[in-house]
Amino acid sequence: MLAALLMTGCGRELKDMEQGNSVYFWRTELLLDSVERAFLQQYDIDKVYCRYFDVVMDEATALPRPNATIAFSDTLPASVALVPTVYITEDCMHQAHEGLARQLVSRVVQMNATHDIGGVSELQIDCDYTARSRKTYYDFLEEVRREAAIHGLRLSTTIRLHQLSMPVPPADYGVLMLYNTGDPRRFEERNPVLDQRDVVPYVSRLPSYALPLAAAYPVYRWQRQVQGVRIEHTVEASEILAVKRMVEQKRPALSRSIVVYNLDEENINRYSNDTYKAIYHH
C-alpha cells in the first residue's frame, strides 16, 4: 500500500516534470562545433546540463573550494535550456560547511549574470554520496534548494544506482546515472562504464523510488593506464539499449526524459544515427 501511494504521488510529479531529450556538457570551455550543434537540432535536444565548476576539498585550508570553472566562449541555441551543474566531491560532505550552499548558488547566479546567460530555471548538484555522507549532503541540498528558490531556480540532483537503496534526496527530481556502474579494478570481467549485469541488482528498487527520475546513458570513451598498458572502455550500442529496455520495463516513466553523457563530436561519431534515435525514442 505504501509503495502504491508513493508511486501515485511520484506519477503526479512526473506530469509536472519537463519531459524531453537532454545531454550533459562536461568540458571546461563552452564551445560547440558544427557537428555538436547539428546534434542538438537533429535529436530535438531541449536541455543541456552544463558543468559550471567542481567543488573540491582544499588540503591547505580543509575547506571546500571551486575548481575547474568553465569558460564561456560560445552560447547555446536559443531553443535549448541551460542547466548549471556543479559536481561536488564526496569528501566535501564528510562534515557540514556553513555558508557553502549560499556561496555555491551565489557563484552560479553571478556567472549567469557575468556571461549574460538568461532564462535559467534550474540548478543541478552532482555528488557520489555514500551512507557516511548522505545526511550532511541532504542537509546541504535543503539549503541549496532554499537559496535556489530565491532566484527562481528549482533543484535536481544525480542519483547513482547504489543510492537507490537510500531515502530520496530533497530535490525536485533526480537524473539516474546509468554509467560508471562497475568496479574499474574488475575491468577484465566487465565493462566498468556500463554492464547490464551490474545494473540488475538495483532495478527492483526503481518502481518504488519516490522521486521523479530522468535516465542518463553513456556515449563516451574511457581511457586509463593499468600497469603500463592503456585500457579503453566503450559501450556497445546493444548494451546501452538493453539496459534502457530493462530499466524502462521496471519504471516506464524513465522513457519520458532521456539524457546522454556527454556532448562531444567524438562521442557523436562513435554511434550511428539509428542508435541515437533508439536512445532518444526519436
Side-chain angles (χ1 to χ4, degrees):
M1 177 63 75
L2 177 59
L5 289 172
L6 288 174
M7 284 310 295
T8 301
C10 192
R12 272 200 305 272
E13 288 184 80
L14 275 169
K15 292 178 181 177
D16 300 326
M17 175 180 161
E18 289 181 16
Q19 301 171 18
N21 299 335
S22 309
V23 66
Y24 276 104
F25 185 89
W26 217 258
R27 303 202 297 262
T28 53
E29 181 184 20
L30 181 60
L31 183 63
L32 304 182
D33 64 21
S34 59
V35 173
E36 292 158 355
R37 286 188 175 276
F39 180 90
L40 297 177
Q41 182 175 10
Q42 181 174 1
Y43 299 103
D44 298 325
I45 305 300
D46 49 30
K47 184 190 295 186
V48 171
Y49 296 93
C50 180
R51 191 202 64 85
Y52 268 37
F53 53 90
D54 301 337
V55 177
V56 302
M57 285 299 292
D58 187 316
E59 293 183 6
T61 63
L63 293 171
R65 63 172 177 84
N67 184 54
T69 300
I70 194 170
F72 291 96
S73 303
D74 203 350
T75 58
L76 295 177
S79 61
V80 179
L82 184 151
V83 178
T85 302
V86 178
Y87 171 71
I88 298 180
T89 59
E90 192 262 347
D91 58 349
C92 291
M93 294 291 117
H94 287 175
Q95 65 182 72
H97 297 280
E98 187 176 353
L100 178 60
R102 182 179 298 110
Q103 292 166 9
L104 185 152
V105 174
S106 295
R107 194 169 201 267
V108 168
V109 170
Q110 174 143 23
M111 288 173 67
N112 290 339
T114 299
H115 299 285
D116 198 25
I117 300 170
V120 175
S121 60
E122 181 184 334
L123 170 65
Q124 182 169 108
I125 305 295
D126 175 22
C127 181
D128 189 4
Y129 58 92
T130 63
R132 172 183 177 183
S133 55
R134 182 192 66 79
K135 176 64 166 61
T136 301
Y137 180 61
Y138 284 15
D139 290 346
F140 167 74
L141 282 185
E142 289 277 16
E143 291 185 56
V144 171
R145 200 176 191 182
R146 287 194 296 269
E147 292 292 330
I150 295 171
H151 300 279
L153 304 174
R154 64 177 183 164
L155 178 66
S156 61
T157 187
T158 50
I159 306 292
R160 288 156 178 81
L161 288 170
H162 71 87
Q163 295 163 349
L164 289 172
S165 63
M166 305 180 195
V168 300
D172 294 296
Y173 73 93
V175 175
L176 181 64
M177 286 176 48
L178 292 160
Y179 53 91
N180 293 350
T181 58
D183 185 343
R185 294 168 297 184
R186 298 175 59 195
F187 69 92
E188 293 178 338
E189 303 170 40
R190 299 184 184 180
N191 189 332
V193 176
L194 179 63
D195 186 308
Q196 59 182 316
R197 291 171 294 180
D198 291 320
V199 180
V200 167
Y202 302 96
V203 294
S204 63
R205 299 184 182 276
L206 284 173
S208 60
Y209 191 72
L211 185 72
L213 291 174
Y217 300 95
V219 295
Y220 62 92
R221 175 181 64 175
W222 183 20
Q223 289 183 317
R224 62 200 182 98
Q225 295 284 342
V226 179
Q227 297 178 344
V229 178
R230 189 167 76 171
I231 305 295
E232 179 176 302
H233 302 288
T234 58
V235 185
E236 295 291 335
S238 59
E239 190 77 359
I240 298 172
L241 297 176
V243 169
K244 179 177 163 65
R245 286 191 297 270
M246 181 172 62
V247 298
E248 288 178 1
Q249 185 176 23
K250 287 292 185 180
R251 188 167 173 134
L254 286 175
S255 67
R256 302 178 189 176
S257 186
I258 303 292
V259 195
V260 300
Y261 183 94
N262 60 357
L263 183 65
D264 184 272
E265 180 179 357
E266 184 178 315
N267 295 337
I268 293 168
N269 293 331
R270 181 168 295 113
Y271 296 95
S272 70
N273 182 36
D274 286 343
T275 295
Y276 277 111
K277 282 183 176 180
I279 292 173
Y280 279 127
H281 288 299
H282 197 66

